[in-house]
């Protein structure tokens, strides 16, 4: 502790470091991750969580956070939930936290930046810690897509719709995927080949047990759709990976959005999924004082905007913006978790940025695992840090596109080598 405090003081007296040396430096005021766990990801409408409510899923995961961290819940000052579809999310997170065992002195809130909501929640908690507003908090992302409501057909005032980009915010996600495919000539074959690789990587990872240290079992109730009989089940594994998936099998699937194009399908797009993931964050000095294991350092995150009609390419803008802030290049990054909302945008981002595919989505991505909207940002942290530990690699980059034309990216340094 004394050594780290001395290093912190010396860092202010010596020339500013840049690049890898700067982000890997350890200081008492660093924001660190001491726990990163998630639920299994279940198929929407027909999987193990189809009859589970969002509040119970959040409650169950928060109980696991308390159990696995062995931290006095009174130490947690704030909890932030990333969620997209539930209008009662702010009520839900507060009630679920109280029921899970957090005291009424632990505050709670919800945020919604569509598919980046989990990363946004992480950023919000981390920013509070770095500013000294709190010392410890939990970021959680959760989504029950099985309970998703219907999309409002025309949510904007007619004067707003006179601006084309504002009107484009209403485009269905499938349409934006077809826009990317057409505008940047991402062929159906390229998309199917990318999707096949995602499935095959997820299958390999699942068979090898690579997900086991990031998943916590969740016990819930499932109702038989025919008999109405209810039974208790414990989910332990992701339901999305379809073992044996090949390019040939994917190439036979019909287009999912024929009104807009013929390249995106149910096989090369992210799955409708239920799930949640949580990240426990605190100051490094607090973690050391409380004997909490330091898994990683939170370095930072950023967001950017772009044309709504091609929202999928958001990571291609957010990633360079984030790396530029820390004087890094993609060569400095060891593991990349890029959300596979659609194969169209994933292929574009890989090509546009020159990403080494061998270090991106090593365990498969949202096409194979699923994309529970609000949970993806925190799920990527859980998966990415676990993969960093497995490979004994240091620097993790996460990124995703965001509906209405945005992109976000986050940066972490694994400290379990």
């Amino acid at each position: 502790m004394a050594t780290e405090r001395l290093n912190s003081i010396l860092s202010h007296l010596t020339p500013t470091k840049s690049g890898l040396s700067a982000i890997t430096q350890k200081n008492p005021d660093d924001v660190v991750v001491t726990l990163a766990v998630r639920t299994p990801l279940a198929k929407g409408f027909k999987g193990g969580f189809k009859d589970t409510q969002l509040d119970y899923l959040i409650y169950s995961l928060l109980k696991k956070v308390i159990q696995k961290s062995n931290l006095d819940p009174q130490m947690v000052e704030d909890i932030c939930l990333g969620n997209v579809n539930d209008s009662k999310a702010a009520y839900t997170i507060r009630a679920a936290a109280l029921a899970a065992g957090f005291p009424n002195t632990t505050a709670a809130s919800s945020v919604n930046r569509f598919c980046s909501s989990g990363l946004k929640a992480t950023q919000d908690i981390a920013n509070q810690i770095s500013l000294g507003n709190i010392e410890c908090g939990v970021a959680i992302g959760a989504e029950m897509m099985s309970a998703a409501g219907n999309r409002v057909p025309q949510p904007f005032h007619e004067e707003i719709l006179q601006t084309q980009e504002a009107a484009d915010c209403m485009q269905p996600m499938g349409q934006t995927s077809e826009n990317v495919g057409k505008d940047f000539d991402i062929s159906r074959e390229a998309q199917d080949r990318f999707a096949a690789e995602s499935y095959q990587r997820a299958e390999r990872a699942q068979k090898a047990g690579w997900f086991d240290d990031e998943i916590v079992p969740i016990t819930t109730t499932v109702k038989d759709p025919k008999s109405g009989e209810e039974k208790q089940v414990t989910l332990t594994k992701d339901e999305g990976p379809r073992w044996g998936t090949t390019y040939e099998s994917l190439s036979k699937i019909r287009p999912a959005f024929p009104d807009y194009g013929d390249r995106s399908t149910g096989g090369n797009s992210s799955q409708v999924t239920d799930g949640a993931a949580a990240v426990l964050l605190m100051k490094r000095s607090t973690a050391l004082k409380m004997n909490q294991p330091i898994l990683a350092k939170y370095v930072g995150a950023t967001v950017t905007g772009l044309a709504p009609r091609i929202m999928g390419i958001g990571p291609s803008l957010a990633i360079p913006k984030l790396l530029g802030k820390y004087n890094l290049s993609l060569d400095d990054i060891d593991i990349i978790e890029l959300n596979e909302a659609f194969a169209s945008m994933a292929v574009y981002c890989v090509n546009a940025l020159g990403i080494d595919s061998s270090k991106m989505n090593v365990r498969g991505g949202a096409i194979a695992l699923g994309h529970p909207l609000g949970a993806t940002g925190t799920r990527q942290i859980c998966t990415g840090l676990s993969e960093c530990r497995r490979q004994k690699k240091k620097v993790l980059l996460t990124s995703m596109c965001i509906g209405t034309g945005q992109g976000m990216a986050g940066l972490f340094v694994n400290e379990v080598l």
Side-chain angles (χ1 to χ4, degrees):
M1 183 68 182
T3 301
E4 290 188 343
R5 175 63 67 181
L6 179 60
N7 287 338
S8 178
I9 295 171
L10 289 174
S11 70
H12 295 291
L13 302 176
T14 55
T16 302
K17 294 184 178 182
S18 62
L20 280 175
S21 60
I23 68 168
T24 55
Q25 184 177 344
K26 296 179 181 179
N27 295 302
D29 290 337
D30 290 340
V31 179
V32 297
V33 177
T34 60
L35 182 71
V37 292
R38 67 177 179 90
T39 72
L41 303 184
K43 287 180 175 292
F45 302 104
K46 57 184 178 181
F49 289 141
K50 69 180 180 65
D51 302 308
T52 301
Q53 294 185 33
L54 178 68
D55 57 359
Y56 179 80
L57 191 67
I58 294 170
Y59 156 78
S60 299
L61 184 56
L62 287 177
K63 281 180 36 173
K64 297 287 187 182
V65 168
I66 294 174
Q67 293 167 9
K68 290 187 72 69
S69 68
N70 199 30
L71 180 72
D72 181 351
Q74 294 197 53
M75 291 294 300
V76 177
E77 296 173 75
D78 200 7
I79 300 173
C80 187
L81 166 69
N83 174 267
V84 177
N85 285 320
D86 196 303
S87 61
K88 304 186 297 297
Y91 291 99
T92 298
I93 183 59
R94 176 65 170 159
L98 292 169
F102 290 95
N104 60 20
T105 52
T106 300
S109 67
S110 65
V111 294
N112 180 357
R113 201 198 288 272
F114 301 114
C115 303
S116 70
S117 297
L119 180 56
K120 172 65 174 167
T122 304
Q123 182 188 47
D124 279 12
I125 293 293
N127 285 349
Q128 287 196 76
I129 295 170
S130 65
L131 289 170
N133 297 328
I134 64 174
E135 288 198 9
C136 177
V138 174
I140 180 170
E143 204 74 47
M144 294 301 302
M145 295 185 75
S146 294
N150 293 326
R151 186 174 182 273
V152 179
Q154 188 165 320
F156 305 131
H157 190 278
E158 59 183 14
E159 288 190 28
I160 292 176
L161 294 174
Q162 290 174 11
T163 299
Q164 185 58 52
E165 286 201 326
D168 287 345
C169 290
M170 292 175 57
Q171 288 194 13
M173 294 299 96
Q175 182 177 359
T176 69
S177 176
E178 291 291 359
N179 292 344
V180 170
K182 291 174 189 172
D183 287 11
F184 304 106
D185 195 25
I186 311 297
S187 68
R188 165 71 189 267
E189 178 180 347
Q191 295 184 44
D192 284 345
R193 291 196 182 280
F194 179 91
E197 180 69 21
S198 181
Y199 275 109
Q200 289 158 14
R201 290 185 180 195
E203 177 181 346
R204 180 170 64 250
Q206 198 169 52
K207 286 179 175 178
W210 294 351
F211 294 114
D212 293 352
D213 75 335
E214 61 181 279
I215 294 177
V216 291
I218 300 293
T219 299
T220 188
T221 301
V222 176
K223 182 185 295 185
D224 186 292
K226 294 181 179 178
S227 67
E229 178 185 357
E230 293 185 349
K231 65 176 181 178
Q232 195 174 77
V233 297
T234 298
L235 277 65
T236 60
K237 294 186 181 300
D238 296 326
E239 297 174 351
R242 292 194 280 264
W243 294 5
T245 297
T246 63
Y247 161 72
E248 287 74 21
S249 63
L250 291 176
S251 67
K252 297 174 183 177
I253 300 175
R254 67 178 183 273
F257 315 106
D259 290 345
Y260 310 115
D262 59 2
R263 306 184 194 196
S264 295
T265 74
N268 63 31
S269 304
S270 59
Q271 298 182 39
V272 174
T273 309
D274 303 324
V279 180
L280 179 59
L281 299 133
M282 61 188 73
K283 280 187 180 179
R284 184 184 297 278
S285 57
T286 303
L288 293 171
K289 182 170 62 178
M290 302 303 296
N291 292 316
Q292 288 289 302
I294 297 175
L295 302 185
K297 174 183 174 180
Y298 168 87
V299 179
T302 194
V303 68
T304 189
L306 68 152
R309 65 178 299 279
I310 51 170
M311 67 93 203
I313 72 168
S316 71
L317 302 175
I319 290 173
K321 181 179 179 181
L322 180 64
L323 296 180
K325 290 180 180 299
Y326 296 98
N327 194 25
L328 298 169
S329 73
L330 276 174
D331 290 337
D332 297 315
I333 306 302
D334 296 311
I335 299 294
I336 300 170
E337 282 285 322
L338 189 145
N339 190 44
E340 301 167 355
F342 299 94
S344 58
M345 54 74 55
V347 171
Y348 174 87
C349 291
V350 169
N351 293 342
L353 296 175
I355 295 174
D356 178 352
S357 62
S358 69
K359 61 184 181 184
M360 188 185 98
N361 299 354
V362 179
R363 304 180 179 188
I367 289 172
L369 300 174
H371 176 26
L373 307 176
T376 286
T378 40
R379 196 282 300 169
Q380 288 181 315
I381 298 169
C382 295
T383 303
L385 289 180
S386 176
E387 183 59 24
C388 283
R389 293 192 295 270
R390 187 187 72 84
Q391 291 194 32
K392 300 189 184 331
K393 299 290 188 180
K394 274 193 174 183
V395 186
L396 167 68
L397 172 72
T398 70
S399 188
M400 68 286 291
C401 59
I402 306 169
T404 71
Q406 300 172 70
M408 193 169 186
L411 193 61
F412 305 81
V413 176
N414 169 46
E415 295 191 5
V416 183
L417 297 169

